[in-house]
Amino acid sequence: MANSNGWGDGASNNDIGWGQGADNAIGWGSIYANSWAGATDIVGTPAVDPDAQAFITAASITDPTQQSAINQLVVDLKGYSIWTKAKMIHPYVGGTSTSTSFNLKNTAQFQISWVGGWTWDANGVKGNGVNSYGNTGFNMTTQITSVNNFSAALYTNQYTAGGVDFGADNNSNFYLTVKSSIFGTNVGVWTAPNVVTYADTNGLGFYTGVKNSSTVTVYKNGSQVVTSGVSIGTFYNGNVYIGGLNRNGSLLLPTNVRYAFSAIFDASLTATEAANLRTAVQAFQTTLGRNV
């Protein structure tokens, strides 16, 4: 019934339009796309974190799900007070050699140069295990304040053959390795600078290595898997590689592993921070449908 006040069930063209299908100046009906007071005008568009937006713009991320995931990751890392401790974060999103190369923390720094045979897709980045590596341009000697306090993290979601996943050295300075036959069956390694091994049967998940004074700790999926005392050591003056080890300026032990996240922090993450980091990164991977 259409009347002057529009209280009828189907009032569609009236002054107030409380009906179910009103196309009117106020538009309280259930179909309000053409009304003056539609849902968008009332609710508004959620704000995007400026650091997230800088990455989205630089990496040309156009997919709404990926944009939302990136924004939430930045918001979560800031909420956990982890963001400021990070120096380099690569979320490997966008599915191209260019989009996956950008550093989320600062898009003007540490853009990866891909070398050799790589595959880039929505699930991350994967080298061929023969001649592939990514040069991050990140030098531990100039970017990390103290050799005694730093952390590194890595998320893998497909494992074929291991080598050394992340690092730079001239003789056991810094590298993080998931399951690899190099050091024994089903063993991973965190070197900072002494070699510390831990059991790893599948090479999949989220790994965080922490150096805190003379102690190193490794967490897998937020839970501690090993802690050990180590010597002080020094950093190698060269760039960190992803998907292989920079050994004195040459590629050593490239991997056939797919990466969905990597990061380096200029701080020793606490157990709580390591767990929170895993929570944030796992939520990010789940939103993108590539979690393990």
Side-chain angles (χ1 to χ4, degrees), residues 90-167:
H90 287 93
Y92 304 119
V93 67
T96 71
S97 60
T98 301
S99 66
T100 56
S101 69
F102 280 99
N103 171 21
L104 176 61
K105 184 64 189 292
N106 185 340
T107 58
Q109 294 181 319
F110 314 127
Q111 185 175 358
I112 296 175
S113 296
W114 302 109
V115 180
W118 282 87
T119 298
W120 306 273
D121 60 28
N123 293 310
V125 299
K126 185 177 183 180
N128 62 12
V130 178
N131 65 349
S132 54
Y133 68 95
N135 186 339
T136 67
F138 188 94
N139 189 318
M140 302 287 284
T141 62
T142 59
Q143 298 301 322
I144 298 300
T145 303
S146 171
V147 71
N148 297 319
N149 295 283
F150 68 97
S151 307
L154 194 65
Y155 194 104
T156 64
N157 60 15
Q158 188 179 82
Y159 178 95
T160 303
V164 173
D165 297 280
F166 199 31

Side-chain angles (χ1 to χ4, degrees), residues 48-99:
V48 177
D49 181 276
D51 290 306
Q53 186 59 61
F55 177 88
I56 291 168
T57 300
S60 298
I61 304 298
T62 58
D63 181 83
T65 299
Q66 294 176 353
Q67 291 177 343
S68 177
I70 286 291
N71 184 62
Q72 192 60 52
L73 176 61
V74 173
V75 170
D76 287 346
L77 293 178
K78 290 183 177 182
Y80 287 131
S81 299
I82 298 173
W83 176 261
T84 56
K85 299 179 180 181
K87 296 288 296 229
M88 177 173 68
I89 302 172
H90 287 93
Y92 304 119
V93 67
T96 71
S97 60
T98 301
S99 66

Side-chain angles (χ1 to χ4, degrees), residues 19-269:
Q20 295 178 2
D23 295 324
N24 48 64
I26 296 179
W28 292 92
S30 59
I31 300 175
Y32 49 78
N34 295 318
S35 68
W36 287 73
T40 301
D41 296 326
I42 296 173
V43 177
T45 302
V48 177
D49 181 276
D51 290 306
Q53 186 59 61
F55 177 88
I56 291 168
T57 300
S60 298
I61 304 298
T62 58
D63 181 83
T65 299
Q66 294 176 353
Q67 291 177 343
S68 177
I70 286 291
N71 184 62
Q72 192 60 52
L73 176 61
V74 173
V75 170
D76 287 346
L77 293 178
K78 290 183 177 182
Y80 287 131
S81 299
I82 298 173
W83 176 261
T84 56
K85 299 179 180 181
K87 296 288 296 229
M88 177 173 68
I89 302 172
H90 287 93
Y92 304 119
V93 67
T96 71
S97 60
T98 301
S99 66
T100 56
S101 69
F102 280 99
N103 171 21
L104 176 61
K105 184 64 189 292
N106 185 340
T107 58
Q109 294 181 319
F110 314 127
Q111 185 175 358
I112 296 175
S113 296
W114 302 109
V115 180
W118 282 87
T119 298
W120 306 273
D121 60 28
N123 293 310
V125 299
K126 185 177 183 180
N128 62 12
V130 178
N131 65 349
S132 54
Y133 68 95
N135 186 339
T136 67
F138 188 94
N139 189 318
M140 302 287 284
T141 62
T142 59
Q143 298 301 322
I144 298 300
T145 303
S146 171
V147 71
N148 297 319
N149 295 283
F150 68 97
S151 307
L154 194 65
Y155 194 104
T156 64
N157 60 15
Q158 188 179 82
Y159 178 95
T160 303
V164 173
D165 297 280
F166 199 31
D169 84 342
N170 57 8
N171 189 14
S172 298
N173 300 97
F174 154 68
Y175 53 86
L176 179 61
T177 302
V178 304
K179 176 185 175 182
S180 176
S181 60
I182 300 163
F183 301 95
T185 304
N186 296 334
V187 169
V189 176
W190 168 238
T191 301
N194 302 76
V195 173
V196 176
T197 62
Y198 58 93
D200 188 16
T201 59
N202 61 12
L204 297 173
F206 189 57
Y207 300 79
T208 306
V210 177
K211 174 73 178 295
N212 185 0
S213 187
S214 59
T215 301
V216 296
T217 305
V218 177
Y219 302 89
K220 180 175 181 180
N221 296 330
S223 299
Q224 180 180 305
V225 293
V226 67
T227 187
S228 177
V230 296
S231 60
I232 300 303
T234 59
F235 288 130
Y236 166 60
N237 186 17
N239 293 339
V240 172
Y241 287 0
I242 180 73
L245 177 65
N246 178 1
R247 170 64 64 84
N248 287 319
S250 298
L251 172 65
L252 182 69
L253 301 171
T255 68
N256 193 212
V257 175
R258 189 169 64 207
Y259 306 107
F261 180 93
S262 65
I264 295 179
F265 303 86
D266 191 16
S268 302
L269 298 182

Side-chain angles (χ1 to χ4, degrees), residues 268-281:
S268 302
L269 298 182
T270 66
T272 298
E273 289 171 334
N276 289 340
L277 176 61
R278 193 264 175 170
T279 296
V281 173

